[in-house]
Amino acid sequence: MVYGPCGGVRDDLTCEVAPHPCPFTADAAPLPWPTALGPPPAPTPASGLLARATSGPVVVTDLPSRPFDRALLVETTEVLAESCDAVLVGEHQHRPDLPPTLMAAVVAGAGGRPIVTLSCRDRNRVVLEQELGGLATSDVEAVLCVTGDARAPGIRPEVTQVFDLDGTRLAGLAAAAGLTPVVPESPDAPPRAIRPARLREKQAAGARIAVLNHVGSVEGVRAFAAAARDAGVTLPLVAAVAVYTDARSADVLARFPGLHLDPDAVAAVLGADDPLTAGVEAAVDEAVALLEVDGVAGVNISGLGSAEGELAAARVKATVGRELRDRLR
């Protein structure tokens, strides 16, 4: 990694991979995108998700999936397609799945508008360039360019982790390929002070949209958005909405480094007579509040959603999306 820190910095400033200090936490500012490379490629005219983000709030939803299960991928996409503007096709360090270009084709064929995640963990630069070339010929809304979570100890120990590039440099390649690069940022992950400027450098590399990781409060998102604007960030921000309806789905979110949930909100949902209804209502309330933040152009309905499986999670998220749209009318 050249353009750090990633989102996996723990509160004690150690790396999520091993108990060693993150070297980027000692920097007073992020490494600047080199001006010697010149400005990023001239952006293609705004279309799809980017165009909608400039004209009104957008709703993105994490797409629940199971590895190599094409039928389930179609089914969950069909459940979500009409409740959101785009589905975010994730990638996971512990479970390989269909290639990104094929995922995009399957999702688009089922009526979804895919934002496809492309990670640097398991692909060298040549393969990343191939994937970008393939996605440029596919029906994708955008490409989420991430460095990728390092594989946890004991998970596929026989597999080499590549990391030829990091997410910032991948965003530059995606822009050069004519795609719409989406980049993540983690406002609540240390070192918090340099996160806004780090997002500015991703913008300089060619990013067009930023998807934020979960923040513990709406005020925290507002403070980050203001700091990012002061740092020169003009990207539309898509803020994460935590969706949990049971103890397991809340715990999965809480265990991610750099991610903070409001403990009072979690306790209220889990202690409700009907946690499913309470979880949906809490997610809709959070989304409405986030969309009132200056600079937030959309929300990402995110999280496991339900311990009852991928299809149940898709139905929960679709309900959140529909009820949110009803509230915004």
Side-chain angles (χ1 to χ4, degrees):
M1 174 176 281
V2 173
Y3 295 95
C6 73
V9 183
R10 300 187 183 276
D11 288 340
D12 62 359
L13 304 185
T14 60
C15 176
E16 65 179 339
V17 177
H20 303 297
C22 170
F24 293 102
T25 61
D27 297 334
L31 185 71
W33 184 252
T35 55
L37 296 180
T44 55
S47 61
L49 180 70
L50 183 60
R52 290 192 293 276
T54 60
S55 61
V58 296
V59 179
V60 176
T61 303
D62 285 354
L63 179 63
S65 65
R66 194 160 51 227
F68 304 113
D69 192 334
R70 183 169 180 157
L72 179 65
L73 187 63
V74 169
E75 193 170 9
T76 54
T77 298
E78 289 175 343
V79 168
L80 289 168
E82 298 306 316
S83 66
C84 60
D85 295 284
V87 292
L88 181 56
V89 182
E91 188 172 82
H92 307 279
Q93 52 92 9
H94 63 292
R95 52 176 200 181
D97 208 333
L98 299 170
T101 305
L102 180 55
M103 294 282 278
V106 172
V107 170
R113 293 168 290 277
I115 301 171
V116 176
T117 302
L118 197 56
S119 162
C120 303
R121 177 187 55 252
D122 298 314
R123 303 177 179 91
N124 66 17
R125 180 173 179 140
V126 172
V127 176
L128 288 168
E129 290 171 346
Q130 290 173 331
E131 294 285 7
L132 291 171
L135 290 170
T137 67
S138 303
D139 187 13
V140 296
E141 291 286 310
V143 180
L144 178 62
C145 300
V146 302
T147 302
D149 296 329
R151 193 168 286 107
I155 303 296
R156 301 294 299 273
E158 77 283 4
V159 176
T160 300
Q161 303 186 73
V162 183
F163 294 114
D164 267 6
L165 298 173
D166 51 36
T168 301
R169 287 179 286 168
L170 180 59
L173 291 179
L179 292 157
T180 298
V182 178
V183 293
E185 192 50 73
S186 300
D188 260 0
R192 296 173 183 84
I194 71 171
R195 296 278 172 188
R198 182 170 186 257
L199 184 54
R200 180 194 62 217
E201 300 310 322
K202 292 182 179 183
Q203 176 178 284
R208 309 280 316 266
I209 302 173
V211 175
L212 305 183
N213 210 338
H214 296 270
V215 178
S217 68
V218 174
E219 287 307 312
V221 175
R222 181 174 286 110
F224 176 82
R229 185 169 58 251
D230 291 344
V233 174
T234 59
L235 301 175
L237 305 179
V238 176
V241 173
V243 182
Y244 49 89
T245 57
D246 47 46
R248 179 166 178 255
S249 55
D251 182 61
V252 166
L253 282 171
R255 284 190 281 109
F256 279 100
L259 187 156
H260 297 84
L261 300 179
D262 181 346
D264 292 336
V266 173
V269 168
L270 300 185
D273 292 336
D274 182 356
L276 175 59
T277 298
V280 169
E281 290 177 353
V284 174
D285 288 345
E286 182 183 16
V288 170
L290 287 168
L291 288 170
E292 294 176 352
V293 173
D294 187 21
V296 172
V299 290
N300 176 30
I301 299 172
S302 176
L304 184 65
S306 170
E308 300 300 319
E310 292 82 4
L311 194 55
R315 289 170 176 152
V316 167
K317 294 175 184 179
T319 301
V320 173
R322 285 193 297 270
E323 293 193 9
L324 174 58
R325 286 183 160 182
D326 288 344
R327 290 268 293 270
L328 295 176
R329 288 195 180 103

